[in-house]
Amino acid sequence: MKIAIVDDEAKAREELQQALRSCELAAVAQAELRLFSSGEEFLADFQPDAIDLIFLDIRMGNLDGIETAQAIRRQAERLPIVFLTSSADYALAGYQVFPAGYLLKPISRELPQLLDILRRCLPGIVARELAVQVNGREIKIPYGSIAYVDVKGSHRTGGRRGSVIHLLAGETLPVDTSYTDVVTMLSTADFAECYNHLLVNLAAVAALQEDGFALKNGEQLPISRRLYRETAHSYMDYLLRK
C-alpha cells in the first residue's frame, strides 16, 4: 500500500507519519509512506495508479489543499483524499472535491478518528489479515506475508488440531487454529488448495509449472492431478484480475 502525506509543516508530516507507523492495522503500519511539502511537489510526482490514499493539508502556500485536490480529481475521481486542517471552519470548502474525511490537527488527539477513516477508506486492504490462535492468544498475519498453509511443518505436525503458516520470508509458524478454519477464513481471498491440506497464496506464486507452483521465495509446491485444472484456472483468473 502507498500513502501520500502532503503538508507544508514538517512537524505535522512527522506526526502523521508516526501515527500511521504505529497503527494497529498491520497493512497500514507497513505501507510505503511518501511525504510532500507542497501541493506542487505532490502533483509533479502524482500518478493515479501509484497511490492508495492521500492525506492533504487544506492550508498551504501557493497551491492550497482544495486546489491540489481539484487537480487530483481531474485524474482520479475516486482516490480517497483525507483533508488535514487546524480549524473546522475550512471543512465546508472541501466538500466540492468529495473528500473521504477530515482530521483536525494535532493528529495525536485524533487517533480514534484516524483509525475510523482508515477502515472506511481502505476496507479491502486493512481487512487482509489472517487472525489465528497461538498458545491462547490471537495474532494477525498479513495475507501478503503468507506463502502457503498446510498441516505439517518442520517443527510440528498440526494435523486436525492445528495448522502451519509458511511465510514468504522463510519462517514457519505453527498455530492452534485448524487447517479447516484457516481455509474458511481465506475462502474469499486469493488462496487456492492445490494439494490435499495444502493452501497456496496465489500472490506468492512466481510461475505455474506442469506439476506444481514455483513460489517467489524459491520454494516448490506440488499440484495434485485431481486439482490441477481447477487450480490452474484459479491462478489464471487471479493474473487476469491483477
Side-chain angles (χ1 to χ4, degrees):
M1 187 192 308
K2 295 183 180 180
I3 298 175
I5 301 173
V6 187
D7 196 312
D8 59 358
E9 297 179 14
K11 182 178 180 180
R13 294 195 302 270
E14 293 170 4
E15 186 178 38
L16 180 53
Q17 181 182 30
Q18 179 59 37
L20 294 172
R21 283 280 177 248
S22 58
C23 178
E24 66 183 45
L25 303 172
V28 174
Q30 298 169 11
E32 176 184 339
L33 303 182
R34 307 193 65 187
L35 277 57
F36 302 89
S37 60
S38 69
E40 293 92 337
E41 182 185 6
F42 172 76
L43 292 174
D45 184 76
F46 179 54
Q47 295 180 354
D49 295 334
I51 293 291
D52 297 294
L53 176 63
I54 303 170
F55 289 94
L56 181 59
D57 185 26
I58 289 183
R59 296 187 66 186
M60 292 189 292
N62 295 328
L63 194 67
D64 66 25
I66 304 299
E67 294 168 325
T68 303
Q70 290 171 338
I72 293 169
R73 283 287 173 257
R74 287 193 284 270
Q75 300 182 62
E77 294 183 356
R78 298 184 179 181
L79 183 61
I81 299 173
V82 178
F83 279 126
L84 308 173
T85 178
S86 56
S87 172
D89 295 339
Y90 295 98
L92 184 60
Y95 278 105
Q96 60 185 300
V97 292
F98 307 104
Y102 288 86
L103 283 174
L104 285 174
K105 299 179 182 180
I107 301 301
S108 58
R109 299 178 183 174
E110 298 286 300
L111 296 183
Q113 290 82 352
L114 173 61
L115 275 174
D116 180 64
I117 286 174
L118 290 169
R119 290 190 177 103
R120 287 190 287 105
C121 291
L122 306 167
I125 298 179
V126 298
R128 292 178 182 173
E129 297 174 333
L130 176 65
V132 293
Q133 294 289 323
V134 178
N135 296 325
R137 65 184 182 93
E138 182 181 88
I139 66 170
K140 295 181 179 180
I141 308 171
Y143 288 1
S145 67
I146 300 173
Y148 59 97
V149 183
D150 64 9
V151 294
K152 291 183 179 179
S154 58
H155 303 297
R156 128 178 181 179
T157 300
R160 295 184 181 275
R161 293 183 176 272
S163 55
V164 180
I165 314 296
H166 298 257
L167 304 180
L168 271 169
E171 296 93 344
T172 57
L173 179 63
V175 302
D176 300 319
T177 306
S178 71
Y179 175 83
T180 300
D181 286 344
V182 170
V183 170
T184 300
M185 287 187 282
L186 295 175
S187 61
T188 59
D190 291 315
F191 286 74
E193 192 165 42
C194 60
Y195 208 86
N196 186 38
H197 292 116
L198 180 58
L199 187 72
V200 63
N201 183 0
L202 297 177
V205 173
L208 173 64
Q209 301 173 332
E210 291 185 0
D211 58 352
F213 282 126
L215 301 188
K216 294 177 180 179
N217 63 1
E219 291 189 66
Q220 302 283 325
L221 292 185
I223 301 176
S224 72
R225 292 183 180 181
R226 177 178 61 87
L227 294 173
Y228 190 91
R229 178 174 294 184
E230 179 183 347
T231 302
H233 181 272
S234 296
Y235 181 58
M236 296 308 295
D237 179 68
Y238 165 78
L239 291 179
L240 288 173
R241 286 187 284 106
K242 295 301 178 181

